[in-house]
Amino acid sequence: MKKLLIPIIGLVVLLLIIGSMLIGPYNKLVGLDSDVENAQAKIDTQLQRRLDLIPNLVETVKGYAKHEEKVFKDVSDARAKLAGAAKGDSMEAKANANAELNSALSRLIAIQENYPELKADAQFTGLRDELAGTENRIAVARNDYNDVVTVYNKAVRSFPAVLYARILNFDAKEFFKADEAANKAPSIDFNSDKETK
């Protein structure tokens, strides 16, 4: 009986030592995972803030530029796509929808060049400035998110965490990357739209 008891006690002690060595790294991964979720929530909050501003901006522009229906439809479609992506899609889907909305919004804002009364409208300029501020907040939140994801991804890929991170469902996270189309300024030709209408 004593011969069997000594190996069992030794095994239990060994398991306790290994378990206690894993608690610290596990807690670190949990904390980093929570940081990523928090940073993602901040991006989602700013994206939602922008989504809430857009209808007011569109309505203000519509009052001056009634015949720019294609631009209004593009903004509405892109807004709906981002709203759908914000409800749980991957960061890549959010980034792509965000880039599409940025392009549509830039065309909407560019309308002011053809309508001096719109450019002078206090509501329009206030909404435009608020939207620009939101864009800056989104950029900051995106950078913060990517910084946190970098730290998290390094942690789950480094030794010894790489040995057990995937087993415990700590997979690498996606970065919030800008869509390639976001690097190109949209081409806008209002003269051709006016001729076709």
Side-chain angles (χ1 to χ4, degrees):
M1 178 87 172
K2 280 187 175 183
K3 288 183 182 182
L4 187 60
L5 190 60
I6 292 174
I8 291 175
I9 291 173
L11 183 62
V12 168
V13 168
L14 181 64
L15 289 175
L16 287 173
I17 291 171
I18 291 172
S20 66
M21 289 172 51
L22 294 177
I23 289 173
Y26 175 80
N27 287 340
K28 178 181 178 183
L29 291 178
V30 169
L32 291 173
D33 188 52
S34 293
D35 291 346
V36 170
E37 289 176 8
N38 183 38
Q40 184 173 349
K42 288 178 181 178
I43 290 174
D44 291 342
T45 298
Q46 295 308 320
L47 291 175
Q48 185 61 51
R49 183 174 192 271
R50 182 174 58 176
L51 289 173
D52 293 343
L53 287 171
I54 291 170
N56 294 331
L57 185 65
V58 169
E59 287 304 314
T60 302
V61 174
K62 275 184 180 180
Y64 290 94
K66 292 184 172 79
H67 65 283
E68 303 289 354
E69 287 300 320
K70 181 177 180 343
V71 175
F72 301 141
K73 183 176 181 343
D74 290 348
V75 170
S76 178
D77 292 347
R79 181 180 180 273
K81 187 174 182 180
L82 181 59
K87 293 181 180 158
D89 281 349
S90 69
M91 288 309 282
E92 181 180 1
K94 288 180 188 182
N96 290 339
N98 184 54
E100 189 176 319
L101 183 58
N102 284 343
S103 176
L105 281 174
S106 67
R107 289 190 302 275
L108 179 69
I109 298 297
I111 288 175
Q112 72 178 331
E113 298 304 321
N114 290 344
Y115 301 95
E117 323 81 56
L118 176 62
K119 204 175 196 179
D121 184 83
Q123 183 177 2
F124 174 76
T125 56
L127 288 167
R128 185 192 60 205
D129 293 346
E130 202 168 329
L131 189 61
T134 301
E135 295 299 329
N136 290 336
R137 289 182 185 133
I138 290 170
V140 169
R142 184 177 60 222
N143 288 337
D144 290 348
Y145 171 82
N146 286 341
D147 289 345
V148 171
V149 167
T150 298
V151 172
Y152 172 86
N153 285 346
K154 283 180 183 178
V156 298
R157 291 178 179 159
S158 63
F159 187 81
V162 70
L163 300 175
Y164 55 85
R166 287 213 174 113
I167 295 169
L168 299 172
N169 292 322
F170 290 104
D171 297 320
K173 304 286 186 183
E174 290 180 68
F175 289 98
F176 193 111
K177 297 178 186 172
D179 184 45
E180 287 182 25
N183 295 329
K184 299 176 187 170
S187 174
I188 303 167
D189 183 6
F190 288 111
N191 294 328
S192 63
D193 285 347
K194 289 178 182 177
E195 289 172 9
T196 59
K197 292 193 176 190

